[in-house]
Amino acid sequence: LCKIDPWFLYQFEELSIREKEISIKTLESPSQLRALKSEGFSDAIIAELINKEENTTLSENDIYARRVKHNIIQHFNEVDTCAAEFKALTPYLYSSTSVSASLTQTNPTKESDKKVLIIGGGPNRIGQGIEFDYCCVHAAFTLKDMGIKSIMYNCNPETVSTDYDTSDILYFEPIDFEHVRNVIEHENPDGIIVHFGGQTPLKLAKKLTEIGAKIIGTSAKVIDMAEDREKFSTFIKELGLKQPKNGTAFTKEEALIIANKIGYPVLVRPSFVLGGRAMRTVYSDSELKEYMDEAVEVSNESPVLIDKFLNNAIELDIDAICDGKDVYIGSLMQHIEEAGIHSGDSACILPTLSISDELIKVIEEQTMQIALKLGVIGLLNIQYAIFENEVYLIEVNPRASRTVPFVSKATGLPLAKVATMVMVEQDLKAALKYYDRFNVVDFNATPMKPILKGHVAVKEAVFPFNKLPGSDLILGPEMKSTGEVMGISKDFGMSFAKSQFASKNIIPLDGNIFISLTENDKQFAKEIGELYHELGFSIVATKGTHLALQAAGIESTLVLKLSEGRPNIDDMIRNNEIAIAINTSDNNASKSDAKKIRQSVLSNNVAYFTTLAAAKAAALAVKSLKENSGTIEPNALQDYLVDA
């Protein structure tokens, strides 16, 4: 019936039967406990099952202590990466618990060797991508430069970090506390890097510190302060910096009180999510009630975070490195989409396009203040918003961010390598001098920063929509992208065009452009219409947008929505009569024709933009392409980085 091979079902049945046999007496029987571990039961699961059966309060550590007492430990086995053809130079290790106590243990590296353990990001998923693997690989390369043995810990065979020749030793293990602890006890590394694999290893920092593990770089205490909403808000207030009004709700009633006190619109999200999952912008009590009822499960362990939504604010990203004395700002990136789009989904530009020198100076000073006062040693990422000409702090992450590879390539300075050297030796200036191949660092500036050489780089997100039938193109605070690309040239328009071509969103230079805007966006209909009318496009629009364009004196052709009859916009898209689609929407888009239109756009490979900011950027891209006779000139990255 279920179409699962019976062999697997038998394995599940055996595990289910074994679960029912677990009791407090199991802990007194070395043979029973060893059998459980050999079948894959974790210490945490064993504790949970016993607690459920016996009404006890055992912890993961209690089971660990009992295992050690009975000498039930993980053994590490080596994979021959050279298939016995010649000697394998890199130990490729995985753990197991033998049913007998006689298994020979694989020897760790020599005690005299200085060694550092790098914990990777695990399986790729939304919010936890390959960008973090880039950082882990660069950390391993840096340790090699420094004459330090690198131990890579990861469990994803689709990454470079798990290649046999990336590190000196590789442990292919699940990224959880029990397995990481086993490797630490086996290897006794001189340092552990948890900051390069995203949120997954970062969450282990506190537990690892409690068992005496030597985390290098930013400490678990600092990580906890940045992650804890109340502690961090207190810290920011002490520095005199601005944050959007915010609160934490444990019930629906509390959420309504906080939202009305802050004022709508508000950004709501669970406190435990990865990649902005279940995050939403809500505009009224009714929307908030619906969100609290349907979208999340709220408890004391997982409250909902509520922030004032800064409508149409400009969002900025900073990647910086600190050694406790000095700060290097690797980038100040301006998001093309307005605040409210997840930073992982938003296109961004380096250098900034429309931020004044005065505001840039304020942001640099605040970044330096935060890094030094917080006690960051290594990388940190800060997100700001500019709202009504004021700088607001959105978020601080004391770790590598997904923009590190982009910034490193765009500026010519490998941030992850510099940060690794800083975490080991705590000397930022020395690390910068070691890796500054293109002479980009301005050592005289305070804080230090790169000297940009006249090029413009655009990072664009890559989405899996064409592989997921029925998915919606609309962007919001919940992350949807699965990768990113970079466009680089001497001007913004061409760089944006390159980024769109690289992400398979091919921009035509003429034809019909379909425009459909939400009520909130119709005030910008004249601006968008004029841009594309001047570029030679013919505009077609649904009724509301058509009337807004008509009132602004912009010529357009009325087209029916799907629910209004035929021929409609879907017919035009299917007949290849639409070259570009601009279709903005709100959280209720799925209840209207808008979602169906976007799905038609996707299935028929029409260039699309779902925010006003991206639509304006696309117009500049078309202009640059036309000035260049529609061609794109490829150049080596190094051509932009060498001195002119």
Side-chain angles (χ1 to χ4, degrees), residues 246-328:
N246 60 76
T248 304
F250 295 90
T251 65
K252 179 167 66 174
E253 291 72 26
E254 286 181 7
L256 289 166
I257 292 169
I258 292 168
N260 280 280
K261 184 179 178 181
I262 292 172
Y264 290 105
V266 294
L267 194 66
V268 289
R269 68 185 187 275
S271 57
F272 54 87
V273 299
L274 186 70
R277 188 170 56 85
M279 192 185 295
R280 190 185 300 175
T281 306
V282 299
Y283 294 84
S284 64
D285 281 354
S286 59
E287 282 188 34
L288 183 57
K289 287 177 183 176
E290 181 184 341
Y291 176 84
M292 298 295 288
D293 286 337
E294 299 177 8
V296 295
E297 181 180 331
V298 189
S299 69
N300 289 333
E301 289 74 37
S302 54
V304 164
L305 307 180
I306 303 174
D307 295 90
K308 175 66 179 176
F309 178 61
L310 305 178
N311 204 20
N312 294 320
I314 298 172
E315 196 163 333
L316 302 160
D317 244 296
I318 274 191
D319 285 317
I321 304 173
C322 180
D323 65 355
K325 306 182 293 293
D326 297 301
V327 175
Y328 173 75

Coordinates of all heavy atoms in Angstrom, one line a residue, residues 246-328:
N246 N 9.7 47.0 19.0 CA 9.5 45.5 19.0 C 9.0 45.0 20.3 O 9.0 45.7 21.3 CB 10.8 44.8 18.6 CG 11.9 45.1 19.6 OD1 12.0 44.5 20.7 ND2 12.9 46.0 19.2
G247 N 8.6 43.7 20.3 CA 8.1 43.0 21.5 C 8.1 41.5 21.2 O 8.2 41.1 20.1
T248 N 7.9 40.8 22.3 CA 7.8 39.3 22.3 C 6.5 38.9 22.9 O 6.1 39.3 24.0 CB 9.0 38.7 23.1 OG1 10.2 39.2 22.6 CG2 9.0 37.2 23.0
A249 N 5.7 38.1 22.1 CA 4.4 37.6 22.6 C 4.4 36.1 22.8 O 5.0 35.3 22.0 CB 3.4 38.0 21.6
F250 N 3.8 35.7 23.9 CA 3.6 34.3 24.2 C 2.2 33.8 23.9 O 1.9 32.6 23.9 CB 4.0 34.0 25.6 CG 5.5 34.2 25.9 CD1 5.9 35.5 26.3 CD2 6.4 33.2 25.7 CE1 7.2 35.7 26.6 CE2 7.8 33.5 26.0 CZ 8.2 34.7 26.4
T251 N 1.3 34.7 23.7 CA -0.1 34.3 23.5 C -0.7 35.2 22.4 O -0.1 36.3 22.0 CB -1.0 34.5 24.7 OG1 -1.1 35.9 25.1 CG2 -0.5 33.7 25.9
K252 N -1.8 34.9 21.8 CA -2.5 35.7 20.8 C -2.9 37.0 21.3 O -2.7 38.1 20.7 CB -3.7 34.9 20.2 CG -4.5 35.7 19.2 CD -5.4 34.9 18.4 CE -6.6 34.4 19.3 NZ -7.6 33.6 18.5
E253 N -3.4 37.0 22.6 CA -3.8 38.3 23.2 C -2.6 39.2 23.4 O -2.7 40.4 23.2 CB -4.5 38.0 24.6 CG -5.8 37.2 24.5 CD -5.7 35.8 24.0 OE1 -4.6 35.2 24.3 OE2 -6.6 35.3 23.4
E254 N -1.5 38.7 23.9 CA -0.3 39.5 24.0 C 0.1 40.1 22.7 O 0.6 41.3 22.6 CB 0.8 38.7 24.6 CG 0.7 38.4 26.1 CD 1.9 37.6 26.7 OE1 2.9 37.4 25.9 OE2 1.8 37.2 27.8
A255 N 0.1 39.3 21.6 CA 0.5 39.7 20.3 C -0.4 40.9 19.8 O 0.2 41.9 19.3 CB 0.4 38.6 19.3
L256 N -1.7 40.9 20.1 CA -2.6 41.9 19.6 C -2.3 43.2 20.4 O -2.3 44.3 19.8 CB -4.0 41.5 19.9 CG -4.6 40.5 18.9 CD1 -5.9 39.9 19.4 CD2 -4.7 41.0 17.5
I257 N -2.0 43.1 21.7 CA -1.7 44.3 22.5 C -0.4 44.9 22.0 O -0.3 46.2 21.9 CB -1.6 43.9 24.0 CG1 -2.9 43.5 24.6 CG2 -1.0 45.0 24.8 CD1 -2.9 42.8 26.0
I258 N 0.6 44.1 21.8 CA 1.9 44.6 21.4 C 1.8 45.3 20.0 O 2.4 46.4 19.7 CB 3.0 43.5 21.3 CG1 3.3 43.0 22.8 CG2 4.3 43.9 20.6 CD1 4.1 41.7 22.8
A259 N 1.1 44.6 19.1 CA 1.0 45.1 17.7 C 0.3 46.5 17.7 O 0.7 47.4 17.0 CB 0.3 44.1 16.8
N260 N -0.8 46.6 18.5 CA -1.5 47.9 18.5 C -0.7 49.0 19.2 O -0.8 50.2 18.9 CB -2.8 47.7 19.3 CG -3.9 47.1 18.4 OD1 -4.5 47.8 17.6 ND2 -4.1 45.8 18.5
K261 N 0.2 48.6 20.2 CA 1.0 49.6 20.8 C 2.1 50.0 19.9 O 2.4 51.2 19.8 CB 1.7 48.9 22.1 CG 2.6 49.9 22.9 CD 3.1 49.2 24.1 CE 4.0 50.1 24.9 NZ 4.6 49.4 26.1
I262 N 2.7 49.1 19.1 CA 3.7 49.5 18.1 C 3.1 50.2 16.9 O 3.7 51.2 16.4 CB 4.4 48.2 17.6 CG1 5.3 47.6 18.7 CG2 5.3 48.5 16.4 CD1 5.9 46.2 18.4
G263 N 2.0 49.7 16.4 CA 1.3 50.3 15.3 C 1.6 49.5 14.0 O 2.7 49.1 13.8
Y264 N 0.5 49.2 13.3 CA 0.6 48.4 12.0 C 1.2 49.3 10.9 O 1.1 50.5 11.0 CB -0.8 47.9 11.6 CG -1.3 46.8 12.5 CD1 -2.4 47.1 13.4 CD2 -0.8 45.5 12.5 CE1 -2.9 46.1 14.2 CE2 -1.3 44.5 13.3 CZ -2.3 44.8 14.2 OH -2.8 43.9 15.0
P265 N 1.9 48.7 9.9 CA 2.1 47.2 9.8 C 3.3 46.7 10.7 O 4.1 47.5 11.1 CB 2.5 47.1 8.3 CG 3.2 48.4 8.0 CD 2.4 49.4 8.8
V266 N 3.2 45.4 11.0 CA 4.3 44.8 11.9 C 4.8 43.6 11.2 O 4.1 42.9 10.4 CB 3.8 44.5 13.3 CG1 3.4 45.7 14.1 CG2 2.6 43.5 13.2
L267 N 6.0 43.2 11.5 CA 6.6 42.0 11.0 C 6.6 41.0 12.1 O 7.1 41.2 13.2 CB 8.1 42.3 10.6 CG 8.8 41.3 9.7 CD1 8.2 41.2 8.4 CD2 10.3 41.7 9.6
V268 N 6.0 39.8 11.8 CA 5.9 38.8 12.9 C 6.6 37.5 12.4 O 6.6 37.2 11.3 CB 4.4 38.5 13.2 CG1 3.7 39.6 13.9 CG2 3.6 38.1 11.9
R269 N 7.2 36.9 13.4 CA 7.9 35.6 13.1 C 8.2 34.8 14.3 O 8.3 35.4 15.4 CB 9.3 35.9 12.4 CG 10.3 36.6 13.3 CD 11.6 36.9 12.4 NE 12.7 37.4 13.2 CZ 12.9 38.6 13.6 NH1 11.9 39.6 13.3 NH2 13.9 39.0 14.3
P270 N 8.2 33.5 14.2 CA 8.6 32.7 15.4 C 10.1 32.9 15.7 O 10.8 33.4 14.9 CB 8.4 31.2 14.8 CG 7.5 31.3 13.7 CD 7.8 32.7 13.1
S271 N 10.4 32.7 17.0 CA 11.8 33.0 17.4 C 12.8 31.9 17.1 O 14.0 32.1 17.4 CB 11.7 33.2 18.9 OG 11.3 32.1 19.6
F272 N 12.4 30.8 16.5 CA 13.3 29.7 16.3 C 13.6 29.3 14.9 O 14.1 28.3 14.6 CB 12.8 28.5 17.1 CG 11.4 28.1 16.6 CD1 11.2 27.3 15.5 CD2 10.3 28.6 17.3 CE1 9.9 27.0 15.1 CE2 9.0 28.3 16.9 CZ 8.8 27.5 15.8
V273 N 13.2 30.2 13.9 CA 13.2 29.8 12.5 C 14.5 30.0 11.8 O 15.4 30.8 12.3 CB 12.1 30.5 11.8 CG1 10.7 30.2 12.3 CG2 12.3 32.0 11.7
L274 N 14.7 29.2 10.7 CA 15.9 29.4 9.8 C 15.4 29.9 8.5 O 14.4 29.5 8.0 CB 16.5 28.0 9.6 CG 17.8 27.9 8.8 CD1 18.9 28.5 9.7 CD2 18.1 26.4 8.5
G275 N 16.1 30.9 8.0 CA 15.7 31.5 6.7 C 14.4 32.2 6.7 O 13.8 32.3 5.7
G276 N 14.0 32.8 7.9 CA 12.8 33.6 7.9 C 11.5 32.8 7.7 O 10.5 33.3 7.4
R277 N 11.6 31.5 8.0 CA 10.4 30.6 7.8 C 9.3 31.1 8.7 O 9.4 31.4 9.8 CB 10.8 29.2 8.1 CG 9.7 28.2 7.7 CD 10.3 26.7 7.8 NE 10.8 26.5 9.1 CZ 10.1 26.1 10.2 NH1 8.8 25.9 10.1 NH2 10.7 25.8 11.3
A278 N 8.0 31.1 8.1 CA 6.8 31.5 8.8 C 6.8 33.0 9.2 O 6.1 33.4 10.0 CB 6.6 30.6 10.0
M279 N 7.7 33.8 8.5 CA 7.7 35.2 8.8 C 6.7 35.9 7.9 O 6.5 35.5 6.7 CB 9.1 35.7 8.6 CG 9.4 37.2 9.1 SD 11.0 37.8 8.7 CE 12.0 36.7 9.6
R280 N 6.0 36.9 8.4 CA 5.0 37.6 7.6 C 4.9 39.1 8.0 O 5.0 39.4 9.2 CB 3.7 36.9 7.7 CG 2.6 37.4 6.7 CD 1.3 36.7 6.9 NE 1.3 35.3 6.8 CZ 0.3 34.5 7.1 NH1 -0.9 35.0 7.5 NH2 0.4 33.2 6.9
T281 N 4.5 39.9 7.1 CA 4.1 41.3 7.4 C 2.6 41.3 7.5 O 1.9 40.9 6.6 CB 4.6 42.3 6.3 OG1 6.0 42.1 6.0 CG2 4.3 43.7 6.6
V282 N 2.1 41.8 8.6 CA 0.6 41.9 8.8 C 0.2 43.3 9.0 O 0.9 44.2 9.5 CB 0.1 41.0 10.0 CG1 0.5 39.6 9.8 CG2 0.7 41.5 11.3
Y283 N -1.0 43.6 8.5 CA -1.5 45.0 8.5 C -2.7 45.3 9.3 O -3.1 46.5 9.4 CB -1.8 45.4 7.0 CG -0.6 45.4 6.1 CD1 -0.1 44.2 5.5 CD2 0.1 46.6 5.8 CE1 1.0 44.2 4.7 CE2 1.2 46.6 5.0 CZ 1.7 45.4 4.4 OH 2.8 45.4 3.6
S284 N -3.2 44.3 10.0 CA -4.4 44.5 10.8 C -4.6 43.5 11.9 O -3.9 42.5 11.9 CB -5.7 44.5 9.9 OG -5.8 43.2 9.4
D285 N -5.5 43.7 12.8 CA -5.8 42.8 13.9 C -6.3 41.4 13.3 O -5.9 40.4 13.8 CB -6.9 43.3 14.8 CG -6.3 44.3 15.9 OD1 -5.1 44.5 15.9 OD2 -7.1 44.9 16.6
S286 N -7.1 41.5 12.3 CA -7.7 40.3 11.7 C -6.6 39.4 11.1 O -6.6 38.2 11.2 CB -8.7 40.6 10.7 OG -8.2 41.4 9.6
E287 N -5.6 40.1 10.4 CA -4.5 39.3 9.8 C -3.6 38.7 10.9 O -3.1 37.6 10.7 CB -3.6 40.2 8.9 CG -4.2 40.5 7.5 CD -3.3 41.3 6.6 OE1 -2.0 41.0 6.7 OE2 -3.7 42.1 5.8
L288 N -3.4 39.5 12.0 CA -2.5 39.0 13.0 C -3.2 37.8 13.7 O -2.6 36.8 14.1 CB -2.3 40.1 14.1 CG -1.3 39.7 15.2 CD1 0.0 39.2 14.7 CD2 -1.1 40.9 16.1
K289 N -4.5 37.9 14.0 CA -5.3 36.7 14.6 C -5.1 35.5 13.7 O -4.9 34.4 14.2 CB -6.7 37.1 14.7 CG -7.0 38.1 15.9 CD -8.5 38.5 15.9 CE -8.8 39.5 17.0 NZ -10.2 40.0 17.0
E290 N -5.3 35.7 12.4 CA -5.2 34.6 11.5 C -3.8 33.9 11.5 O -3.7 32.7 11.5 CB -5.5 35.0 10.0 CG -5.4 33.9 9.0 CD -5.7 34.5 7.6 OE1 -6.2 35.6 7.4 OE2 -5.3 33.8 6.6
Y291 N -2.8 34.8 11.6 CA -1.4 34.3 11.6 C -1.2 33.5 12.9 O -0.6 32.4 12.9 CB -0.4 35.5 11.6 CG 1.0 35.1 11.8 CD1 1.8 34.7 10.7 CD2 1.6 35.2 13.0 CE1 3.1 34.3 10.8 CE2 3.0 34.8 13.2 CZ 3.7 34.4 12.0 OH 5.0 34.0 12.2
M292 N -1.6 34.1 14.0 CA -1.4 33.4 15.3 C -2.2 32.1 15.4 O -1.7 31.1 16.1 CB -1.8 34.3 16.5 CG -1.0 35.6 16.6 SD 0.7 35.4 16.9 CE 0.6 34.9 18.7
D293 N -3.4 32.0 14.8 CA -4.2 30.8 14.8 C -3.6 29.7 13.9 O -3.6 28.5 14.3 CB -5.6 31.1 14.4 CG -6.4 31.9 15.5 OD1 -6.0 31.7 16.7 OD2 -7.4 32.6 15.2
E294 N -3.2 30.1 12.7 CA -2.9 29.1 11.7 C -1.4 28.9 11.4 O -1.0 27.7 11.1 CB -3.5 29.6 10.4 CG -5.1 29.7 10.4 CD -5.7 30.2 9.1 OE1 -4.9 30.3 8.2 OE2 -6.9 30.5 9.1
A295 N -0.6 29.9 11.5 CA 0.8 29.8 11.0 C 1.8 29.3 12.1 O 2.7 28.6 11.7 CB 1.2 31.2 10.5
V296 N 1.6 29.5 13.3 CA 2.6 29.2 14.3 C 2.0 28.6 15.6 O 0.8 28.7 15.9 CB 3.4 30.4 14.7 CG1 4.2 31.0 13.6 CG2 2.5 31.5 15.3
E297 N 2.8 27.8 16.2 CA 2.5 27.3 17.5 C 3.3 28.1 18.6 O 4.5 28.1 18.6 CB 2.9 25.8 17.6 CG 2.5 25.2 19.0 CD 2.9 23.7 19.0 OE1 2.9 23.1 17.9 OE2 3.2 23.2 20.1
V298 N 2.6 28.8 19.4 CA 3.3 29.7 20.4 C 3.3 29.1 21.7 O 2.3 28.5 22.2 CB 2.5 31.1 20.4 CG1 3.3 32.1 21.3 CG2 2.2 31.6 19.1
S299 N 4.5 29.2 22.4 CA 4.6 28.7 23.8 C 5.7 29.5 24.4 O 6.3 30.3 23.8 CB 5.0 27.2 23.7 OG 6.3 27.0 23.2
N300 N 6.0 29.1 25.7 CA 7.1 29.8 26.4 C 8.4 29.5 25.8 O 9.3 30.3 25.9 CB 7.1 29.4 27.9 CG 5.9 29.9 28.6 OD1 5.4 31.0 28.3 ND2 5.4 29.3 29.7
E301 N 8.5 28.3 25.1 CA 9.8 27.9 24.5 C 9.9 28.6 23.1 O 11.0 28.7 22.6 CB 9.9 26.4 24.4 CG 10.1 25.7 25.7 CD 8.8 25.6 26.5 OE1 7.7 25.5 26.0 OE2 8.9 25.8 27.8
S302 N 8.8 28.9 22.5 CA 8.9 29.5 21.1 C 7.9 30.6 21.0 O 6.9 30.5 20.3 CB 8.5 28.4 20.1 OG 7.3 27.8 20.4
P303 N 8.2 31.8 21.6 CA 7.4 33.0 21.4 C 7.5 33.5 20.0 O 8.3 33.2 19.2 CB 8.0 33.9 22.4 CG 9.4 33.5 22.5 CD 9.4 32.0 22.4
V304 N 6.5 34.4 19.7 CA 6.5 35.2 18.5 C 7.2 36.5 18.6 O 6.9 37.2 19.6 CB 5.1 35.3 17.9 CG1 5.0 36.4 16.8 CG2 4.6 34.0 17.4
L305 N 8.1 36.9 17.7 CA 8.7 38.2 17.8 C 8.0 39.2 16.9 O 7.6 38.8 15.7 CB 10.2 38.1 17.3 CG 11.0 37.0 17.9 CD1 12.4 37.0 17.4 CD2 11.1 37.2 19.5
I306 N 7.7 40.3 17.4 CA 6.9 41.3 16.6 C 7.7 42.6 16.5 O 8.2 43.2 17.5 CB 5.6 41.6 17.4 CG1 4.8 40.3 17.6 CG2 4.8 42.7 16.6 CD1 3.6 40.5 18.4
D307 N 7.9 43.1 15.3 CA 8.7 44.3 15.0 C 7.9 45.3 14.2 O 7.1 44.8 13.3 CB 10.0 44.0 14.2 CG 11.0 43.1 15.0 OD1 10.9 41.9 14.9 OD2 11.8 43.7 15.7
K308 N 8.1 46.5 14.4 CA 7.5 47.6 13.6 C 8.0 47.4 12.2 O 9.3 47.3 12.0 CB 7.8 49.0 14.1 CG 7.3 50.1 13.2 CD 5.8 50.2 13.1 CE 5.3 51.3 12.2 NZ 3.9 51.3 12.0
F309 N 7.2 47.3 11.2 CA 7.6 47.2 9.8 C 7.9 48.6 9.2 O 7.0 49.4 9.2 CB 6.6 46.5 9.0 CG 6.9 46.4 7.5 CD1 8.1 45.7 7.1 CD2 6.2 46.9 6.5 CE1 8.4 45.5 5.8 CE2 6.5 46.8 5.2 CZ 7.6 46.1 4.8
L310 N 9.1 48.8 8.8 CA 9.5 50.1 8.2 C 9.2 50.1 6.7 O 10.0 49.7 5.9 CB 11.0 50.4 8.5 CG 11.4 50.3 9.9 CD1 12.9 50.5 10.1 CD2 10.7 51.2 10.8
N311 N 8.0 50.6 6.4 CA 7.5 50.5 5.0 C 8.4 51.3 4.1 O 8.6 52.5 4.3 CB 6.1 51.0 5.0 CG 5.3 50.4 3.8 OD1 5.7 49.4 3.2 ND2 4.2 51.1 3.4
N312 N 8.8 50.7 3.0 CA 9.6 51.3 1.9 C 10.9 51.8 2.4 O 11.5 52.7 1.8 CB 8.8 52.5 1.3 CG 7.6 52.0 0.5 OD1 7.7 51.0 -0.2 ND2 6.5 52.7 0.6
A313 N 11.4 51.3 3.5 CA 12.8 51.6 4.0 C 13.8 51.0 3.1 O 13.6 50.0 2.4 CB 13.0 51.1 5.4
I314 N 15.0 51.6 3.0 CA 16.2 51.0 2.3 C 16.9 50.1 3.2 O 17.3 50.6 4.3 CB 17.1 52.1 1.7 CG1 16.3 53.0 0.8 CG2 18.3 51.5 1.1 CD1 17.1 54.2 0.3
E315 N 17.2 48.9 2.9 CA 17.9 48.0 3.7 C 19.3 47.8 3.3 O 19.6 47.9 2.1 CB 17.2 46.6 3.7 CG 17.7 45.7 4.9 CD 16.7 44.5 5.1 OE1 15.5 44.6 4.8 OE2 17.2 43.5 5.6
L316 N 20.2 47.7 4.3 CA 21.7 47.6 4.0 C 22.3 46.4 4.7 O 21.8 46.1 5.8 CB 22.4 48.9 4.5 CG 21.9 50.2 3.8 CD1 22.3 51.4 4.7 CD2 22.5 50.4 2.4
D317 N 23.3 45.8 4.1 CA 24.0 44.7 4.7 C 25.5 45.1 4.9 O 26.1 45.6 4.0 CB 23.9 43.5 3.8 CG 23.1 42.3 4.5 OD1 23.6 41.8 5.5 OD2 22.1 42.0 3.9
I318 N 26.1 44.7 6.1 CA 27.5 45.0 6.3 C 28.1 43.6 6.7 O 27.6 42.9 7.6 CB 27.7 46.0 7.3 CG1 27.7 47.4 6.7 CG2 29.0 45.8 8.1 CD1 28.2 48.6 7.6
D319 N 29.2 43.3 6.1 CA 30.1 42.2 6.6 C 31.4 42.8 7.1 O 32.0 43.6 6.4 CB 30.4 41.2 5.4 CG 29.2 40.3 5.1 OD1 28.6 39.9 6.1 OD2 28.9 40.1 3.9
A320 N 31.7 42.5 8.3 CA 32.9 43.2 8.9 C 33.7 42.1 9.7 O 33.2 41.0 10.0 CB 32.5 44.3 9.9
I321 N 34.9 42.4 10.0 CA 35.8 41.6 10.8 C 36.4 42.4 11.9 O 36.8 43.6 11.7 CB 37.0 41.0 9.9 CG1 36.4 40.3 8.7 CG2 37.8 40.1 10.8 CD1 37.5 39.8 7.7
C322 N 36.5 41.8 13.1 CA 37.0 42.5 14.3 C 37.9 41.6 15.1 O 37.7 40.4 15.1 CB 35.8 43.0 15.2 SG 36.3 43.8 16.7
D323 N 39.0 42.2 15.6 CA 39.9 41.4 16.4 C 39.9 41.9 17.9 O 40.8 41.5 18.7 CB 41.4 41.5 15.9 CG 42.0 42.9 15.9 OD1 41.3 43.8 16.3 OD2 43.2 43.0 15.5
G324 N 39.0 42.7 18.2 CA 38.9 43.2 19.6 C 39.5 44.6 19.7 O 39.3 45.3 20.7
K325 N 40.4 45.0 18.8 CA 41.0 46.3 18.8 C 40.7 47.1 17.5 O 40.5 48.3 17.6 CB 42.6 46.1 18.8 CG 43.1 45.2 19.9 CD 44.6 45.1 20.0 CE 45.1 44.3 18.7 NZ 44.7 42.9 18.7
D326 N 40.7 46.5 16.4 CA 40.4 47.2 15.1 C 39.2 46.5 14.4 O 38.9 45.3 14.7 CB 41.7 47.1 14.2 CG 42.8 47.9 14.8 OD1 42.7 49.1 15.1 OD2 43.9 47.2 15.0
V327 N 38.7 47.2 13.5 CA 37.5 46.7 12.7 C 37.8 47.0 11.2 O 38.3 48.1 10.8 CB 36.2 47.4 13.1 CG1 35.1 47.0 12.2 CG2 35.9 47.1 14.5
Y328 N 37.5 46.0 10.4 CA 37.6 46.1 8.9 C 36.2 45.9 8.4 O 35.6 44.9 8.6 CB 38.5 45.1 8.3 CG 38.5 45.0 6.8 CD1 39.1 46.0 6.0 CD2 37.9 44.0 6.1 CE1 39.1 46.0 4.7 CE2 37.8 44.0 4.7 CZ 38.5 45.0 4.0 OH 38.4 45.0 2.6

